[in-house]
Amino acid sequence: MMREKGMLRGLAALGLSLGAATVFAGEVNVQVLSAVVKDQRLAGATVIVQKNGARSVTATTDTQGTAALGTEFADHDDSLIIIKKPGYSNLVAKCPCAGMTYALSPVMTSLDGLRIVLNWGAQPADLDSHIAFPGNHVYWEKKLGTEGNLDVDDVNGFGPETITINKKHAGESYVYAVHDFSNMHSPAADALARSQAKVLVYIGQSLVRSYYVPQQPGNLWTVFRITADGEFQDINTMRGTSVSAAAVLGSVDNYLKASTEVAAVQVSAANADNARALNKAGEAAYHAGDLVQAIDLYRQAIDIDPNFGQAYGNLGLAHGKAGHTAEAIWANRKAIALASGPTAATVRAGAYYNIARLYEAAGQYADALQQYQAARREKANPVYDKAIERVGRLAK
């Protein structure tokens, strides 16, 4: 059937390094679009490229959404691009950046919503976003799902391809994947690996997870899963298939089963040490009242070590204090999943309680009641009992 379709600042402060850099000389021009409105160019966005140990370069997008950063700055693969515009979540991504298109996500208000934005280079022309959850497979041929939709589809390179979940349903699992439609019948193709594809996940007003395409052949990149308990799990694997777009569901829906395990990301001892140092620096910033810096450092720690439960717990506290409710809920859910050792039940109970309080403050009493009850199952506490009684009346 023919298709029819229309972290470096914290590392430098700690004396840490990302390793040797490849240098890409030449002018660094990037275009900034809306992630949710097809081909809408965003003027007035601030674009910053910064390299560890070097000065940053800043430009503002013109009426065509283009920022010219000049020829005096080399485009390194150990540089970061940061894009900011009022009303949109800040975007942070790894370079090389020259000639790329980036899409900004408008701030979301739902406590249980998320937005997934896929960008890539000029080739292959057609990469597709797919998200599967019970009774739903959202992609270019089925743009609407239950509380979710494909906002923007692209068939001419660069992207974005954007999927928004307005409300993630408790008790349901979700899996997200990228399919190389241009090479759908070539399982050994390496075009996807060479595409510079990146997947950015937004919750509330924040970028919470970033994924970069694995450097290995294949035409189906399975990126992440959200469990029935709301935990993000990194999959980040590439494989080759010969299936149609509609049949991608059958290639990834095993991840909707609780019995399908996702192996924890292996982290080297050096990276674990770096993550602990960043977390410690984040705690110092938090106690000094610098929530922006604390959140940035905690997120860098998590990027290096996705299994670092303490950093997630700290991130949840910082987001909560900053008034980032949706982000605090997301971070606390991951802290629950990673809790271990003799204090695990206490950690989980406290995180459930924190989530419940956020739901209660937002007037989502049924959701709050579930979380208070979960806290009570982990550990007896009269505070939890009183909360269950109070919210139970309101949830009726």
Side-chain angles (χ1 to χ4, degrees):
M1 179 181 72
M2 292 296 293
R3 179 173 180 179
E4 298 177 2
K5 294 176 64 178
M7 100 208 29
L8 293 175
R9 181 174 62 229
L11 288 170
L14 294 167
L16 307 177
S17 172
L18 292 180
T22 301
V23 178
F24 301 87
E27 190 170 11
V28 180
N29 288 337
V30 300
Q31 186 174 54
V32 181
L33 304 176
S34 167
V36 296
V37 180
K38 178 73 172 176
D39 295 329
Q40 183 182 75
R41 296 167 173 84
L42 296 182
T46 301
V47 181
I48 304 164
V49 174
Q50 64 181 36
K51 181 180 181 295
N52 192 8
R55 68 183 182 87
S56 62
V57 175
T58 302
T60 302
T61 55
D62 60 21
T63 56
Q64 296 303 306
T66 300
L69 292 157
T71 57
E72 78 280 5
F73 187 79
D75 193 19
H76 293 253
D77 63 3
D78 65 350
S79 295
L80 291 180
I81 186 168
I82 303 163
I83 306 176
K84 304 177 179 181
K85 183 176 173 63
Y88 294 82
S89 300
N90 291 349
L91 182 153
V92 181
K94 296 177 183 178
C95 289
C97 309
M100 296 290 288
T101 295
Y102 295 89
L104 295 187
S105 168
V107 169
M108 302 183 71
T109 58
S110 170
L111 297 190
D112 297 294
L114 69 145
R115 179 168 291 128
I116 308 160
V117 183
L118 166 68
N119 278 104
W120 67 100
Q123 296 295 328
D126 197 355
L127 297 184
D128 287 332
S129 283
H130 291 254
I131 194 163
F133 50 105
N136 293 267
H137 177 202
V138 175
Y139 67 111
W140 64 267
E141 200 168 32
K142 294 183 178 179
K143 293 183 173 66
L144 298 178
T146 305
E147 302 257 27
N149 56 279
L150 178 70
D151 300 297
V152 176
D153 179 35
D154 185 81
V155 298
N156 298 307
F158 297 105
E161 289 243 348
T162 304
I163 289 176
T164 298
I165 301 297
N166 298 311
K167 180 177 175 60
K168 191 269 177 192
H169 291 175
E172 295 185 359
S173 296
Y174 295 65
V175 59
Y176 173 82
V178 175
H179 184 220
D180 180 357
F181 188 90
S182 295
N183 296 282
M184 62 189 297
H185 297 304
S186 302
D190 65 352
L192 177 53
R194 292 185 289 105
S195 69
Q196 299 186 51
K198 56 183 67 70
V199 170
L200 306 180
V201 183
Y202 297 88
I203 290 175
Q205 58 185 285
S206 304
L207 172 65
V208 298
R209 294 296 290 139
S210 303
Y211 300 91
Y212 297 87
V213 65
Q215 296 303 292
Q216 60 189 78
N219 55 10
L220 181 61
W221 174 25
T222 307
V223 185
F224 66 86
R225 172 170 77 174
I226 308 174
T227 69
D229 294 325
E231 176 203 357
F232 270 74
Q233 294 181 334
D234 299 344
I235 301 173
N236 214 32
T237 59
M238 186 86 83
R239 58 186 165 130
T241 71
S242 296
V243 300
S244 66
V248 167
L249 175 62
S251 298
V252 301
D253 64 354
N254 60 306
Y255 286 107
L256 301 182
K257 303 172 184 175
S259 58
T260 301
E261 295 186 2
V262 173
V265 176
Q266 297 299 306
V267 178
S268 69
N271 279 345
D273 287 342
N274 288 349
R276 283 192 291 270
L278 287 163
N279 180 67
K280 186 174 180 179
E283 290 173 339
Y286 179 86
H287 291 300
D290 190 346
L291 295 177
V292 172
Q293 178 73 346
I295 289 169
D296 183 46
L297 289 163
Y298 293 143
R299 188 172 182 275
Q300 288 186 47
I302 290 164
D303 285 342
I304 294 173
D305 183 358
N307 310 316
F308 197 175
Q310 184 183 15
Y312 272 104
N314 286 338
L315 181 60
L317 285 173
H319 273 309
K321 193 166 185 178
H324 305 162
T325 307
E327 297 92 319
I329 290 173
W330 161 77
N332 275 294
R333 290 197 190 283
K334 191 66 179 182
I336 289 167
L338 293 172
S340 61
T343 63
T346 300
V347 171
R348 288 193 294 265
Y352 279 127
Y353 179 73
N354 290 337
I355 293 170
R357 292 182 63 191
L358 295 170
Y359 277 132
E360 183 179 0
Q364 294 183 211
Y365 300 120
D367 293 320
L369 180 60
Q370 288 181 346
Q371 301 304 309
Y372 282 132
Q373 290 170 336
R376 179 63 179 81
R377 286 194 295 270
E378 294 291 339
K379 190 172 182 180
N381 189 321
V383 173
Y384 303 159
D385 296 332
K386 290 178 181 179
I388 290 168
E389 181 181 355
R390 178 182 68 251
V391 175
R393 291 193 299 267
L394 295 170
K396 291 180 180 178

